[in-house]
Amino acid sequence: MAVKKVLIVDDSATDTHLMSEMLKKNGYTVVSATSGEEGIAKAKQERPDLILMDIVMPGMSGFEATRAITKDPETANIPVIVCSTKGQETDKAWGLRQGAKDYIVKPVIEKVLMEKIRTL
């Protein structure tokens, strides 16, 4: 599947900006959301080819939002890559159990991000 449009779900304006710049530089269209709830709504509305999901956000966590997106037939086919400062193996395992396809620990390194997107 060719990834063209990426939805970034992150409450950090700095992280969103950094990932947006990396993606745009590599030819991707970027949309963003600042909460799990908004991420779910944007996933349905925008139909991105990929979602980059933060975990620690006010309200609904990225784990909950990932589970909701990957279990909803309307959005289940959109791959989710978790991008979080939570780097424990238990966090990674839990993220994958919620339906995420991959897990990147912040700070996000452009080369690593592009590689993960290409191997989806």
Side-chain angles (χ1 to χ4, degrees):
M1 174 187 93
V3 174
K4 290 181 178 38
K5 186 194 284 188
V6 180
L7 169 60
I8 299 172
V9 183
D10 198 320
D11 62 325
S12 161
T14 304
D15 287 339
T16 299
H17 176 74
L18 290 171
M19 287 189 285
S20 278
E21 290 305 307
M22 288 177 200
L23 291 162
K24 288 175 184 170
K25 190 167 86 182
N26 285 277
Y28 298 99
T29 302
V30 178
V31 288
S32 63
T34 57
S35 69
E37 295 88 348
E38 186 187 0
I40 294 167
K42 285 254 176 104
K44 291 179 180 185
Q45 179 189 341
E46 295 282 346
R47 299 278 179 213
D49 302 308
L50 169 68
I51 299 170
L52 298 178
M53 180 74 70
D54 185 26
I55 295 304
V56 183
M57 295 182 284
M60 179 184 273
S61 78
F63 288 138
E64 294 169 295
T66 297
R67 187 169 51 242
I69 287 166
T70 58
K71 300 285 181 264
D72 185 329
E74 216 180 320
T75 53
N77 64 332
I78 304 170
V80 176
I81 296 178
V82 171
C83 296
S84 178
T85 54
K86 293 173 75 67
Q88 300 291 319
E89 284 305 313
T90 51
D91 297 317
K92 292 177 186 176
W94 187 244
L96 297 174
R97 285 197 50 201
Q98 304 315 302
K101 296 282 183 245
D102 215 326
Y103 199 107
I104 299 173
V105 178
K106 289 179 183 175
V108 174
I109 297 160
E110 184 173 341
K111 187 173 171 240
V112 172
L113 178 60
M114 294 309 131
E115 187 109 340
K116 299 224 182 240
I117 291 173
R118 276 193 283 281
T119 58
L120 274 179

